[in-house]
Amino acid sequence: MRLLICQVPRLSYLQAGEIVGSETYGWDCQMVLFPEMAFDHPPQCTDQGELTFENVGLMAMSTLAKRRRLFIVMGSVEERTPDGGVYDTCVVIDPDGEMVLKYRKMSPVSNRWPGTEPGVFATQAGPVGVLLGAEAEEPARWAPILACAPFLVLNPARAPTAIDPILAR
């Protein structure tokens, strides 16, 4: 499986679409991964924060995934639920344009509710697990993922960008 990792600063979903379009054109890419909170204009800004395809940003990512026939892993976005819950949620859209995973970060974070289900989705190559940010350093988070025997575990994390000292010369 070929994977495009976009370790980018915050983007609008339109900028993300341009990156996916240009960087996957002409080569066989099956998955694109964005880091946590990569979207400056979060796609959940409509419909009171619910993550549905009534949301213009998610619909655009769905159309792009379908057009390019690839998975788009949107790192994490802020999800607000009708009951007042606020989650860091990783949205995964499959090559058919369907939302196949809404993984809510399970580690408690200030002002965020923890999720309760492990993040795993199916691909042609086998199951893929998702752990957000520092969850990868928590042994308890690995057990439910490893129980699914994933061939790949993604960790969309947001880290400060550093300049390679050799390139800075």
Side-chain angles (χ1 to χ4, degrees):
M1 174 174 275
R2 289 187 181 194
L3 178 67
L4 172 63
I5 300 171
C6 299
Q7 190 63 30
V8 293
R10 296 175 69 84
L11 303 165
S12 72
Y13 62 88
L14 293 174
Q15 290 169 318
E18 288 173 3
I19 287 173
V20 170
S22 66
E23 295 298 322
T24 62
Y25 181 78
W27 66 284
D28 189 26
C29 177
Q30 289 86 31
M31 187 179 298
V32 177
L33 172 66
F34 288 96
E36 284 184 293
M37 299 301 187
F39 296 90
D40 191 32
H41 177 127
Q44 74 282 3
C45 65
T46 59
D47 200 25
Q48 305 304 313
E50 292 181 65
L51 298 174
T52 68
F53 285 132
E54 292 176 8
N55 175 307
V56 123
L58 288 176
M59 189 184 337
M61 291 291 109
S62 170
T63 301
L64 184 58
K66 195 175 195 178
R67 198 172 284 154
R68 292 280 190 214
R69 301 296 307 151
L70 51 76
F71 286 89
I72 296 179
V73 181
M74 294 180 67
S76 69
V77 294
E78 184 179 271
E79 175 187 13
R80 294 182 180 274
T81 58
D83 63 357
V86 180
Y87 300 91
D88 284 340
T89 303
C90 178
V91 175
V92 178
I93 300 171
D94 75 4
D96 294 324
E98 299 298 321
M99 197 178 313
V100 293
L101 181 67
K102 287 195 318 187
Y103 169 64
R104 292 173 172 167
K105 188 174 191 173
M106 295 173 73
S107 298
V109 181
S110 64
N111 300 328
R112 301 280 194 262
W113 294 15
T116 57
E117 299 294 322
V120 178
F121 63 98
T123 70
Q124 298 87 348
V128 174
V130 177
L131 293 167
L132 288 174
E135 286 185 324
E137 298 173 21
E138 300 174 32
R141 301 290 175 231
W142 282 91
I145 298 285
L146 295 177
C148 299
F151 89 97
L152 178 66
V153 177
L154 301 174
N155 181 228
R158 183 172 74 176
T161 49
I163 295 176
D164 185 333
I166 293 172
L167 296 176
R169 291 182 198 182

